[in-house]
Amino acid sequence: MKSNVELNPLAPDWLELPEDVNAVAPAIWPAHLSRSEAGEIEIAGIGVDDLVSQFGTPLFVIDEADFRARAVAVREAFEAAADQIGTTAKVYYASKVFLCTEVASWVDELGLNIDVSSGGELAVALAAGVHPSKIGLHGNNKSLIEIGRAVTAGVGAIVIDSEIEIERIASTAGAQDKIQPVRLRVNSGVHAHTHEFLATAREDQKFGIALSDVPALVAKIRSHSHLKFLGLHSHIGSQIFAVDGFVESAKRLIAVHAELLKFGEVPELNLGGGFGINYTRADDAPELTEFAQQIAQAVEDECKLHSIAIPKLAFEPGRVIAGPTTVTIYNVGTIKDVTVTDVGAPQVRKYVSVDGGMSDNARPALYEADYSALLASRQSTAPPALARVVGKHCESGDIVVRADYLPADIAPNDLLVVAATGAYCYSLSSNYNFLTRPPVVAVKDGSARLLLRGETEADLFARDVLYQTNLANGKSKSQRG
Ligand SMILES: *Cc1c(COP(=O)(O)O)cnc(C)c1O
């Protein structure tokens, strides 16, 4: 760390100088990503040059075998932890992290359930053939249409987020003469960040019901013959590295759960998602197996304390399944050595511009998220230089990788790969500056398959009414007006 500070004071404290700037750190890259003898990055046996000649840049590449293996490992971690305390666990893939029909069918086939948080995500899960009973619907402001679609489909659970929704769901289910299973989302007052958590009476945010209001609302749910109460739900945050927030939240929920048991059944307890992953070499994400065991242990202890039976558990991991399985390949454009003088002696930060940016990865702009990059199309013997990878948008906050060391000889037309872009990147993508959304491919055993094609300008013009009207009238731009 010392030599790093000496080398470039612009580098954040956590960023160490890599021993080998070409090295692939296994903790942050997909399982089947490696550098070939010739120095090119390959994913599941396909080189980045080959991928880019087939699909262009920017390009999202999912290591399919890694995705499948992680989905199974995550499901098994929670199932095994639940089994140890004599109960079961349902695992829902939080589809908002990344969703298309094929990925929905993978998780379905691998024995996971799926969470959706809008009518659109519900439509994708249903189109993928996921059985409605395996779908959970979330959202703090579900429309009547969304509730109607979910009840009609027969989803396995709707997570109620406010008192108003009780009547809405009950009357929708009543009109269809159905019994709709529901959970109640609780604001446990626990909010977890990566390394710490904050506990208050009620966390100051929009989701969930205050713990003190839960008994009255559950009584209301139980008064409706068209609703079936499954239990309480909490989700305390995302990218969490410390288990204590989950433990605290579970304790608070179980205390109320025990009260609710005095007046009726409470078969399940859903503790949400939020499990953290590595984005940089400095991150040290928890081992999920241990994490799950510690949460299960806390549930068992707390149930004992209240002398109640251990409920069936449910979890909703998203990022921890999809995040590490995917990389983004970019083409390097302009490069600028920017001399910064406000840190004492002048220091240089190398700005490397790529052909995407905040439109395909909004997280650095949204929450100053950190990422890691490698020169992918070749290896280099040049010394490492502190670099910032930036996009091509008209915003100075359009950052892809805030700080990482790249070979000092990085040049236009080199390819870069950015790690861990499988969660909250494509799903948060936009058409800012009229950029088209990149394609998403799955690679496996040496071949690549398109899951989502890239957008074209024609896709963007398809919704432009005057353009389409002129097109329909056979008018070109020059004939207009
Ligand atoms: C976003 C979300 C998740 C998934 O969070 P991750 O951090 O991706 O695991 C789970 N449950 C709810 C209710 C969510 O909103």
Side-chain angles (χ1 to χ4, degrees):
M1 196 156 293
K2 269 270 149 53
S3 68
N4 157 21
V5 171
E6 278 158 25
L7 190 80
N8 195 328
L10 296 175
D13 288 344
W14 56 262
L15 182 64
E16 294 192 26
L17 196 61
E19 268 171 37
D20 174 4
V21 75
N22 301 298
V24 174
I28 53 177
W29 296 95
H32 306 99
L33 181 144
S34 60
R35 198 179 284 280
S36 73
E37 290 281 298
E40 185 191 2
I41 293 288
E42 296 178 341
I43 310 147
I46 314 177
V48 289
D49 281 327
D50 186 358
L51 286 167
V52 166
S53 65
Q54 289 185 60
F55 304 104
T57 53
L59 177 65
F60 284 99
V61 183
I62 306 177
D63 178 346
E64 179 178 344
D66 193 25
F67 190 108
R68 288 173 177 269
R70 292 188 72 90
V72 171
V74 167
R75 173 174 61 70
E76 288 178 349
F78 288 113
E79 287 174 351
D83 189 55
Q84 272 192 346
I85 60 164
T87 186
T88 59
K90 265 188 212 164
V91 178
Y92 290 82
Y93 171 66
S95 72
K96 69 174 189 275
V97 306
F98 177 68
L99 183 63
C100 61
T101 53
E102 179 147 348
V103 164
S105 69
W106 293 350
V107 298
D108 184 36
E109 179 189 316
L110 298 170
L112 286 84
N113 299 276
I114 190 162
D115 261 342
V116 298
S117 30
S118 70
E121 288 177 357
L122 174 62
V124 178
L126 291 172
V130 177
H131 195 276
S133 66
K134 297 175 77 180
I135 299 175
L137 175 67
H138 277 282
N140 68 299
N141 187 21
K142 305 168 195 78
S143 70
L144 285 174
I145 291 171
E146 288 171 321
I147 291 170
R149 287 169 81 175
V151 171
T152 303
V155 302
I158 298 180
V159 182
I160 292 174
D161 193 83
S162 59
E163 182 171 4
I164 294 170
E165 285 190 340
I166 298 174
E167 300 300 331
R168 288 182 175 173
I169 299 167
S171 66
T172 305
Q176 297 188 27
D177 203 21
K178 285 188 169 157
I179 297 176
Q180 177 61 51
V182 295
R183 305 181 194 277
L184 185 63
R185 180 161 180 173
V186 177
N187 182 332
S188 66
V190 172
H191 184 82
H193 299 274
T194 301
H195 299 295
E196 81 267 28
F197 78 93
L198 191 85
T200 57
R202 191 201 196 282
E203 195 201 339
D204 191 2
Q205 47 90 343
K206 69 178 182 177
F207 293 110
I209 304 288
L211 276 166
S212 54
D213 294 337
V214 168
L217 293 198
V218 172
K220 204 164 186 180
I221 291 169
R222 284 171 167 161
S223 74
H224 286 284
S225 57
H226 292 281
L227 299 180
K228 174 175 163 42
F229 180 60
L230 290 179
L232 302 179
H233 171 280
S234 80
H235 174 70
I236 59 169
S238 200
Q239 182 59 1
I240 299 167
F241 275 33
V243 79
D244 39 1
F246 286 99
V247 168
E248 179 62 27
S249 186
K251 283 184 180 174
R252 292 180 178 198
L253 258 68
I254 290 169
V256 179
H257 179 108
E259 285 305 304
L260 300 175
L261 272 175
K262 294 175 184 164
F263 307 98
E265 286 181 7
V266 192
E268 298 186 17
L269 176 67
N270 187 329
L271 295 173
F275 313 99
I277 63 166
N278 298 325
Y279 285 98
T280 72
R281 294 186 299 280
D283 289 335
D284 188 16
E287 226 271 285
L288 196 67
T289 313
E290 279 169 38
F291 220 71
Q293 280 170 3
Q294 288 169 336
I295 295 169
Q297 189 59 54
V299 168
E300 183 181 35
D301 293 348
E302 209 57 22
C303 288
K304 240 183 213 148
L305 195 71
H306 292 279
S307 308
I308 58 168
I310 298 172
K312 293 178 185 172
L313 301 179
F315 295 93
E316 304 171 334
R319 184 194 313 265
V320 74
I321 294 174
T325 68
T326 300
V327 298
T328 309
I329 306 176
Y330 296 100
N331 185 264
V332 173
T334 58
I335 296 170
K336 238 181 237 179
D337 282 338
V338 174
T339 302
V340 180
T341 54
D342 56 6
V343 287
Q347 301 294 338
V348 172
R349 193 197 300 277
K350 194 178 275 299
Y351 274 79
V352 177
S353 294
V354 296
D355 51 353
M358 63 192 292
S359 54
D360 58 72
N361 187 354
R363 294 188 64 253
L366 265 183
Y367 8 81
E368 301 196 345
D370 285 305
Y371 280 89
S372 304
L374 283 174
L375 172 57
S377 39
R378 62 185 173 93
Q379 59 194 357
S380 168
T381 52
L386 181 69
R388 175 165 288 169
V389 181
V390 296
K392 58 179 287 157
H393 294 280
C394 305
E395 303 274 338
S396 52
D398 172 28
I399 290 167
V400 179
V401 180
R402 191 170 309 277
D404 202 354
Y405 287 99
L406 290 171
D409 67 348
I410 189 155
N413 275 323
D414 278 335
L415 298 176
L416 277 188
V417 273
V418 174
T421 58
Y424 305 108
C425 290
Y426 189 88
S427 62
L428 282 169
S429 65
S430 76
N431 292 123
Y432 183 40
N433 290 134
F434 262 67
L435 262 67
T436 51
R437 284 184 180 78
V440 180
V441 299
V443 292
K444 194 184 174 188
D445 301 332
S447 66
R449 219 152 28 84
L450 199 55
L451 301 190
L452 292 166
R453 72 159 169 81
E455 280 176 330
T456 61
E457 268 181 22
D459 289 326
L460 304 188
F461 276 125
R463 295 176 301 117
D464 184 314
V465 177
L466 177 58
Y467 180 94
Q468 292 301 329
T469 306
N470 288 336
L471 200 67
N473 295 339
K475 265 197 208 172
S476 76
K477 186 177 152 201
S478 55
Q479 292 168 308
R480 212 187 289 151

